[in-house]
Each structure stands twice: as structure tokens, then as C-alpha cells.
Amino acid sequence: MPHYPYLIIGGGMSADAAVRGVRELDQSGAMGLIGAEAHPPYARPPLSKALWKGEPLESIWRKTEEAGVDLRLGRRATSLDLRRKIVADDRGTEYTFDKLLLATGGTPRRLPFGGEHVIYFRTLDDYRRLHALAEQGKTFAVIGGGFIGSEIAAALAMRGCKVTMLFPEEGIGARLFPPDLARSLVSHYREKGVDVRSGESVVGIGERGAEVLLETRSGASVTVDAVVAGLGIVPDTDLAKAAGLAVEDGIVVDEYLRTSHPDVFAAGDVARFSAPMLGTRIRVEHEDNALTMGRAAGRAMAGDLSRYAHLPFFYSDLFELGYEAVGELDPRGEMVADWKAPFREGVVYYLTAGRVRGVLLWNTFGQVDAARALIDEPGPFRAADLVGRLPS
């Protein structure tokens, strides 16, 4: 039964960052990593961004093995005994640990139909499958107008593929962006050749000869070669919940990234943590959070007693448009838009009771730290106080 002073469950970016965080304070302690994928840790954002623009596949590898960690890949942890500090995997191997990190990430939300016809885009294998189809000039339906759906539709269209995009909301990114910006993106995608079907929910997926047939709630149908779905993820909390750890839309952690067991930590997509600037707990599924929290969790496992107070940002590229955002982006509340060029360059502020809760930097870069500082201010702010506050 192998024993590790540091054991990590998960093989993503948070796990890799945790390995490096441990090594900053402990250069020699034995460390094990159990990863469900057969691949060692890799950068996930390029799968829907840079790789479609010609970045070489070799650029994604995190080279975790160079940090002196025992990689146990293609294995899934199936049980966690907190009393005896034992983890078992699906091959029957048991591991003991002193400190444990749960960086289990999440699993894609799935449709109740469609089966193998649908690619739920998340992993390197998903990218390879989709890229191979794109190279063959196949036609695609992309279900979902959120973060992944919008990126994949743009990536495929930029490769010259015929793409139909379907989602129930009025605009692209409607759960994050102001309604007029979300509607403008629909027009922009159509100008780029994407057949955008906003306000359309897919209710069935079947076969029509060698092709895939999608049926919508309105009674329309779409026939394509392949279907991609970007419907968000569900945090993978099963192991934590079965072990008796506190779970609430993610694994709950304190300011030191400890779970309800003092020797078990959590980080990345699966962790629900305190955001002091917002005065609430949040769970974030983006790169900055994965890397920053993963490193902090690794350092915490190795004895660093620093409180984790980072407010992560996220970013995306949509054709030639790009954005960075920080905080809570809820278009159902108060917003102040400061456009230098409408829907092409500017800043959108999201407020609650006069306090800035989130900032969208649209084709505006180098302002993330300033946006964080603004969110940290108590306010209250009026629209006149914010226009021109963060120059684009």
C-alpha cells in the first residue's frame, strides 16, 4: 500500500499547480497524483482557443512529472476513508496519505438523449475527435450559447466549417452579458457565417441515414454530421460527499482551502470558497482560479498558513473579439455600460445597491487588477462615477 505525505486526486490544471505549490516549500516529500484521464496534466483553455489558431499540440503539456510526482493515470478514485486516511482507486490499489487534495473538477452536463452522437467538449480526447471531424469538412451543430458553446462555434467557423448554433436564450452569452451585447453577438456570428438559432431548445437527437438529426421545441429540424454540446459542468463531489465532507454546489473550503476535515483540501472547479471582496462564497470554473487556487492549496498542504483571498478573472476569444472579466456578472441587475465603440470596445460594470460586483472588459486589456480594486471599494457608485473609470 503506497504512502504519500501529499496525495492529489485529479489530473487537471489545479492538480498540476498544487504539485508546484508543494514543491515551493517541500522539495523532497513524496507526492502521488491519481488522474482519471490517461494523459498527464495539460492546459485546458487551448482546446477551445489557441489550438484552433495553429498553436502546436505540444504546447499544452504542463510537464508535471518534472516536479517529482508519482503519476497514477487512467485511474479513478472510488472511495475515501477519512478515519484511516486511505484512498482506493478503480483498479483496487489503496493509498495512504498525510495530506490530501481533492481537485476532482467537474463532469459535463448531459442531455437526456443523443447518446454517442453528442460530443460533450471538455477533454483532450474530445478536442482530437472534434478536430479530426473539422479537418474532414464535416458540418456541425453546437448546442449552447454560453462560454464553451460560443468558443467552439467560433473555432469551427474559423476553420471553414458549416456551423449551426442552437440555444434557448435570446443572445449569445445571455447569462453574463447585457442583453444588447448578447444580441449584437448573434448578428456578429451570423456575419461570420454561423447559422444562429437563438430561442431554440433541442428536444431530440436521432439519425437520418449517416447524418444526425436534431429536433427543436418549435418543430424545426437540423441535419448535420456531428453535434457538440457546451452545457456547463456539474462539480464532481461524489467522493467528498460519500466520505462525509461538507458539500454545497461544490466542496466547501475555509480561507485556508481546507475542507471540513483539517487534512483534506480542495481546489479548482470543484471548490466552493470564500471571496472576501464579494462577501460571499463562490465556485469558479476558469483557468485563473484553477492555477491560483491549486498553487495555494499545494502550499497550504506543505504548511503555508496564508489566507486565500484571490478574486479570479476569466477570459475568452470570440473571432476577433476578446474579453476579460472579474467578479459576478449578472445581467439581471443594475449595469453601467461605458462603450468606446458600441459592442466592440468598452467596459460594463455590474452593481448591487451602488456597489460594483463585477466588471466586463470588452476588447479592453490590462485592467483586471484595477477592476478588482474597484470591486473592493464600498461605494456607493453612480453611473457618472464609473464612466471613464477604467480606460480602454
Side-chain angles (χ1 to χ4, degrees), residues 290-355:
L291 297 178
T292 307
M293 186 185 286
R295 174 177 176 265
R299 289 180 60 89
M301 292 168 73
D304 185 354
L305 297 179
S306 302
R307 287 181 169 86
Y308 185 75
H310 181 69
L311 183 62
F313 83 99
F314 61 96
Y315 66 98
S316 186
D317 299 315
L318 309 173
F319 295 105
E320 77 279 10
L321 301 174
Y323 68 85
E324 295 175 336
V326 62
E328 294 180 329
L329 274 59
D330 187 347
R332 297 171 298 181
E334 180 186 357
M335 290 173 287
V336 175
D338 183 12
W339 292 112
K340 182 176 180 179
F343 314 132
R344 289 298 179 267
E345 184 179 346
V347 181
V348 180
Y349 304 91
Y350 299 71
L351 298 92
T352 300
R355 182 161 186 170

Side-chain angles (χ1 to χ4, degrees), residues 15-98:
D16 170 77
V19 168
R20 299 173 193 280
V22 168
R23 285 291 178 248
E24 289 175 10
L25 299 181
D26 184 345
Q27 286 75 46
S28 59
M31 197 174 350
L33 183 152
I34 303 171
E37 292 188 58
H39 311 291
Y42 55 85
R44 199 178 299 274
L47 303 184
S48 57
K49 295 181 177 74
L51 293 185
W52 295 91
K53 298 177 181 179
E55 188 78 13
L57 186 62
E58 293 73 22
S59 65
I60 70 172
W61 301 112
R62 306 288 298 180
K63 300 180 181 179
T64 314
E65 64 280 0
E66 295 179 0
V69 57
D70 186 4
L71 298 178
R72 305 279 184 138
L73 303 176
R75 298 168 180 253
R76 186 174 295 277
T78 55
S79 68
L80 167 58
D81 184 332
L82 292 175
R83 184 181 63 82
R84 297 191 297 158
K85 290 190 172 181
I86 295 177
V87 171
D89 69 22
D90 55 2
R91 298 192 189 180
T93 304
E94 292 186 334
Y95 314 81
T96 58
F97 62 88
D98 295 330

Side-chain angles (χ1 to χ4, degrees), residues 114-189:
E116 295 302 312
H117 290 304
V118 183
I119 300 172
Y120 293 93
F121 194 89
R122 184 164 175 79
T123 68
L124 174 57
D125 289 342
D126 297 331
Y127 163 77
R128 284 173 164 161
R129 179 183 174 190
L130 186 62
H131 188 265
L133 292 169
E135 290 293 289
Q136 298 169 31
K138 301 294 186 180
T139 60
F140 298 90
V142 176
I143 303 174
F147 191 81
I148 289 296
S150 59
E151 287 193 344
I152 290 300
L156 290 169
M158 286 190 295
R159 296 302 293 258
C161 298
K162 181 180 178 182
V163 181
T164 302
M165 193 176 183
L166 306 98
F167 49 87
E169 297 84 13
E170 184 180 0
I172 294 172
R175 296 182 183 181
L176 293 178
F177 306 145
D180 53 357
L181 174 57
R183 288 191 296 268
S184 79
L185 280 176
V186 171
S187 298
H188 190 65
Y189 271 57

Side-chain angles (χ1 to χ4, degrees), residues 328-389:
E328 294 180 329
L329 274 59
D330 187 347
R332 297 171 298 181
E334 180 186 357
M335 290 173 287
V336 175
D338 183 12
W339 292 112
K340 182 176 180 179
F343 314 132
R344 289 298 179 267
E345 184 179 346
V347 181
V348 180
Y349 304 91
Y350 299 71
L351 298 92
T352 300
R355 182 161 186 170
V356 177
R357 304 283 292 180
V359 180
L360 172 65
L361 302 160
W362 192 263
N363 266 5
T364 297
F365 303 98
Q367 296 291 337
V368 169
D369 287 340
R372 283 196 186 101
L374 184 60
I375 292 170
D376 201 30
E377 291 188 31
F381 294 99
R382 301 167 299 165
D385 301 323
L386 296 173
V387 172
R389 179 68 181 260

Side-chain angles (χ1 to χ4, degrees), residues 224-299:
V224 293
D225 295 313
V227 180
V228 189
L231 307 174
I233 68 168
V234 178
D236 191 352
T237 60
D238 290 349
L239 191 68
K241 189 173 182 179
L245 297 174
V247 170
E248 182 186 347
D249 182 36
I251 303 172
V252 178
V253 296
D254 66 11
E255 63 268 38
Y256 304 104
L257 304 181
R258 298 175 302 198
T259 68
S260 51
H261 188 288
D263 293 327
V264 180
F265 299 75
D269 295 355
V270 76
R272 188 166 188 81
F273 63 100
S274 176
M277 287 186 188
L278 299 174
T280 188
R281 289 186 175 276
I282 59 175
R283 189 176 60 79
V284 178
E285 301 169 359
H286 296 287
E287 179 184 22
D288 179 43
N289 182 62
L291 297 178
T292 307
M293 186 185 286
R295 174 177 176 265
R299 289 180 60 89

